[in-house]
Amino acid sequence: MKKSLLIAAVAALGLVGSAMAQGRLTVWTHYGGPELAWLKQTAASFARSSGTQIDVVEVPFGDIQNKFILGAPQGQAADLVVSIPHDWVGAMAAAGVLEPMGRYATRGFIQDLSEVAVEALTFRNQLFALPMFAESVALIYNRKLVREAPKTWDEFLKIAQDNTRGTSFGFLYDLGNPYFNYGWFTAYGASVFGRTAQGVDASQVRLGGDAGNRAVSFIRDLRFRHRLIPEGVDYGVADSAFKEGALAMILNGPWAIGEYKKANIDFGIAPMPNPPGGQQWRPFVGVQGVAMNAYSRNKAAAANFAKLLVTTQNQVAFNRAGGRLPVSMRAVQQLRNDPVVVGFSATIALGSPMPNIPEMGKVWGPWGNALSQAVQRGDTDVPRIVAAMVEEINRGLRSR
């Protein structure tokens, strides 16, 4: 009965034709635990219904990109990778090893997937992977200390300051980390790069000027003017304080939720309020997707399995296996009683993808150094620091 139902579902998706697909696929994955079990189970079900056998091979996350780029042209890479982060897409697509997935996924199929997730996996106007899950930072608050998520900066600041006393804190996060700070930059009108009709344009660095100065000044104020984040606080310090119940609010992502549950913290999740004088806070969004080998000899079957992985039913099952945040809008609706999915999905919808072009590698170092310098003292010369950061980024881009 289950087999016949799966065959019917696969056929309805247009994944099989008049004859069952035959052959064999190799899938590389960095998943482990329940997520790996889910992937193997889904592969086995697909094999029974389609006749295409799937070998799921575990590959360390840090090895996948280089191994795939070098191996694909030699016939030594998997047909599919489940899954790659979207900021790998530019380099892998430019190397010619990724098959454009828009050839296999109809407009109707794509419409159920989060717009920001599709954008993240698009390079030079082509979709190079089907989105599996997304993540971003959000305001996570301890309900024991914060009755309701603050909606304005004034509400936020009062709650944060009221809870900052002795060894307890109102708000902490990794202050010098550019990834965590991007929402402040967007709120004041900055972005990493500009855009053209072809997508992200690395010739336009948009982290500086008045917008960058206001963002960095605000970040410095969190330490010296508002006295919320002491010197020496990094990710580990903030995360530990929240797990110990000594922190009212933290800026963090879904990767931390499992540990907060283990610590028995009753938490809520919400977008950060807009900073003073700023517009909408929009964080970085990270997306991972299923990517196909451009050199695969069984592309039709590989596309069918990739599409099956991101259907509503499987997005829900994948979430239940490991807690990843689905990008299928119908899956989010089915999981509407899960506060983690609801909270982070609302924040992800506000955000924008990290640039997926290789030039982003020239940005992180100067950006992080500038933030570290700016928060050393309350009277740092922010315009000078920001101008030097932009110049260093541009110098690095010119040297490529």
Side-chain angles (χ1 to χ4, degrees):
M1 179 64 177
K2 288 183 179 179
K3 179 178 178 181
S4 62
L5 286 173
L6 180 60
I7 292 173
V10 171
L13 283 167
L15 303 184
V16 294
S18 57
M20 289 291 191
Q22 300 293 325
R24 199 171 199 94
L25 295 174
T26 299
V27 173
W28 285 353
T29 187
H30 55 87
Y31 296 166
E35 291 179 341
L36 177 61
W38 166 83
L39 179 60
K40 288 182 175 180
Q41 182 180 30
T42 307
S45 297
F46 181 81
R48 289 193 296 271
S49 65
S50 68
T52 300
Q53 300 301 308
I54 299 180
D55 298 318
V56 177
V57 179
E58 298 171 61
V59 178
F61 178 79
D63 295 345
I64 289 177
Q65 184 181 25
N66 194 50
K67 187 174 181 180
F68 196 88
I69 289 174
L70 294 176
Q74 310 302 321
Q76 297 174 356
D79 299 279
L80 292 171
V81 180
V82 184
S83 51
I84 64 168
H86 82 268
D87 51 337
W88 290 4
V89 167
M92 295 177 76
V97 297
L98 295 186
E99 177 76 2
M101 296 302 292
R103 299 174 181 175
Y104 307 94
T106 65
R107 183 179 298 272
F109 187 91
I110 297 297
Q111 281 178 340
D112 178 50
L113 302 175
S114 158
E115 184 177 341
V116 69
V118 172
E119 179 188 346
L121 294 165
T122 299
F123 179 70
R124 294 176 182 166
N125 291 327
Q126 291 198 83
L127 180 66
F128 279 100
L130 296 181
M132 281 286 291
F133 63 90
E135 58 190 19
S136 75
V137 296
L139 180 67
I140 306 175
Y141 58 97
N142 185 331
R143 292 183 184 275
K144 185 177 179 181
L145 304 172
V146 181
R147 287 175 48 193
E148 187 176 333
K151 295 180 174 58
T152 68
W153 172 253
D154 288 343
E155 291 176 4
F156 170 85
L157 185 58
K158 185 177 188 313
I159 292 170
Q161 291 180 333
D162 286 351
N163 281 278
T164 300
R165 55 186 181 275
T167 57
S168 297
F169 300 92
F171 176 63
L172 299 176
Y173 75 103
D174 195 357
L175 189 68
N177 188 321
Y179 176 86
F180 284 77
N181 281 299
Y182 185 62
W184 310 129
F185 280 81
T186 58
Y188 288 114
S191 61
V192 180
F193 298 119
R195 295 187 67 87
T196 66
Q198 281 67 50
V200 178
D201 180 8
S203 70
Q204 305 176 47
V205 177
R206 296 283 180 82
L207 286 171
D210 180 65
N213 292 342
R214 293 176 71 193
V216 175
S217 295
F218 168 79
I219 294 164
R220 182 187 62 183
D221 284 350
L222 291 174
R223 170 165 292 168
F224 293 103
R225 180 182 174 189
H226 304 303
R227 300 187 180 280
L228 295 178
I229 305 174
E231 185 177 359
V233 171
D234 58 11
Y235 180 88
V237 171
D239 184 59
S240 295
F242 194 80
K243 286 186 288 191
E244 293 164 5
L247 175 59
M249 299 180 290
I250 187 172
L251 191 61
N252 212 343
W255 50 83
I257 294 301
E259 291 299 312
Y260 295 167
K261 288 181 176 179
K262 288 180 184 177
N264 294 316
I265 301 296
D266 180 16
F267 59 85
I269 302 165
M272 278 295 308
N274 302 340
Q279 301 301 311
Q280 181 67 63
W281 174 85
R282 299 181 182 277
F284 268 143
V285 174
V287 180
Q288 288 204 23
V290 185
M292 189 196 302
N293 187 341
Y295 294 88
S296 171
R297 296 182 179 180
N298 202 354
K299 291 180 180 177
N304 291 341
F305 185 58
K307 290 167 68 178
L308 184 63
L309 291 176
V310 300
T311 57
T312 300
Q313 179 182 351
N314 272 316
Q315 287 259 295
V316 171
F318 185 51
N319 167 267
R320 289 174 174 161
R324 304 282 192 176
L325 303 173
V327 294
S328 158
M329 289 181 283
R330 286 193 290 266
V332 172
Q333 177 62 19
Q334 287 191 24
L335 293 164
R336 60 188 177 275
N337 293 324
D338 184 330
V340 175
V341 171
V342 172
F344 277 112
S345 293
T347 303
I348 287 167
L350 295 175
S352 56
M354 283 186 298
N356 62 9
I357 58 176
E359 289 87 345
M360 189 63 193
K362 299 292 185 179
V363 174
W364 294 113
W367 194 2
N369 289 339
L371 292 176
S372 296
Q373 292 175 40
V375 299
Q376 285 178 1
R377 300 192 319 272
D379 61 349
T380 50
D381 187 346
V382 168
R384 180 190 63 78
I385 290 171
V386 170
M389 170 190 73
V390 173
E391 174 54 33
E392 186 178 355
I393 292 170
N394 281 322
R395 189 164 57 247
L397 293 172
R398 289 193 297 268
S399 69
R400 291 188 82 249

